[in-house]
C-alpha cells in the first residue's frame, strides 16, 4: 500500500509564508512526478506546481514567483514553499504522486489534504 500524508497547513496573514510537506510511504520502488493541487470552495481543483524526479518543475501562473516546489528523493518527500500569500490562496492543498510499486505497477495517489487559510 502507498500513503501520502501532508502537513504544514494553517492560518497565516496576507503577505506571510507557509511551507507544506508531503511524505510518501509504502511498497515503493520509484516515485516519478510529485505535485501540489488546491481546491477552494466553489472552484475546480487546480494544479499549483509539479516536479519530476530529476527536478524539472511546472507552476500555475498564479504561483509563479511566489511558490517553490522541491523534493528530497531520499526521504520520499515533496515540499511547497509559499511566500507572499494572498487571501485567494485559501484552499485545501492536496499532494499527488505517480508511484511505481516493487511489483512494477505505476499508479497515481492522493493525500487527504491540508487546509491553508490566508486572512487578516
Amino acid at each position: 500500500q502507498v500513503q501520502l500524508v501532508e502537513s504544514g497547513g494553517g492560518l497565516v496573514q496576507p503577505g506571510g509564508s507557509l511551507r507544506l510537506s508531503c511524505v510518501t510511504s509504502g511498497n515503493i520502488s520509484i516515485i516519478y512526478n510529485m505535485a501540489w493541487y488546491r481546491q477552494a470552495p466553489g472552484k475546480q481543483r487546480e494544479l499549483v506546481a509539479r516536479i519530476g524526479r530529476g527536478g524539472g518543475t511546472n507552476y500555475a501562473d498564479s504561483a509563479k514567483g511566489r511558490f517553490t516546489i522541491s523534493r528530497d528523493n531520499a526521504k520520499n518527500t515533496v515540499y511547497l514553499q509559499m511566500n507572499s500569500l494572498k487571501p485567494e490562496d485559501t484552499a485545501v492543498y492536496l499532494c499527488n504522486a505517480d508511484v511505481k510499486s516493487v511489483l512494477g505497477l505505476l499508479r497515481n495517489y492522493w493525500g487527504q489534504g491540508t487546509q491553508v487559510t490566508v486572512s487578516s
Side-chain angles (χ1 to χ4, degrees), residues 81-98:
Q81 178 67 47
M82 304 189 295
N83 299 324
S84 301
L85 283 162
K86 305 173 181 179
E88 49 263 46
D89 294 317
T90 296
V92 173
Y93 283 72
L94 299 139
C95 183
N96 180 266
D98 294 316

Side-chain angles (χ1 to χ4, degrees), residues 33-52:
N33 295 320
M34 304 184 82
W36 289 97
Y37 289 75
R38 68 186 180 189
Q39 188 159 26
K43 298 182 65 177
Q44 296 186 76
R45 183 174 297 180
E46 65 173 340
L47 175 68
V48 179
R50 67 189 300 166
I51 183 168

Side-chain angles (χ1 to χ4, degrees), residues 48-64:
V48 179
R50 67 189 300 166
I51 183 168
R53 183 167 180 82
T57 58
N58 301 98
Y59 293 94
D61 288 341
S62 60
K64 290 179 181 176

Side-chain angles (χ1 to χ4, degrees), residues 3-4 6 36-37 45 94-97 108-113:
Q3 296 175 301
L4 279 65
E6 302 100 332
W36 289 97
Y37 289 75
R45 183 174 297 180
L94 299 139
C95 183
N96 180 266
N108 185 259
Y109 297 90
W110 291 92
Q112 294 183 348

Side-chain angles (χ1 to χ4, degrees), residues 17-75:
S17 298
L18 286 172
R19 190 177 78 152
L20 307 182
S21 300
C22 173
V23 180
T24 305
S25 62
N27 202 13
I28 298 167
S29 179
I30 301 173
I31 303 175
Y32 294 101
N33 295 320
M34 304 184 82
W36 289 97
Y37 289 75
R38 68 186 180 189
Q39 188 159 26
K43 298 182 65 177
Q44 296 186 76
R45 183 174 297 180
E46 65 173 340
L47 175 68
V48 179
R50 67 189 300 166
I51 183 168
R53 183 167 180 82
T57 58
N58 301 98
Y59 293 94
D61 288 341
S62 60
K64 290 179 181 176
R66 299 189 299 128
F67 294 2
T68 302
I69 189 170
S70 61
R71 65 190 287 171
D72 186 335
N73 290 336
K75 297 180 179 179

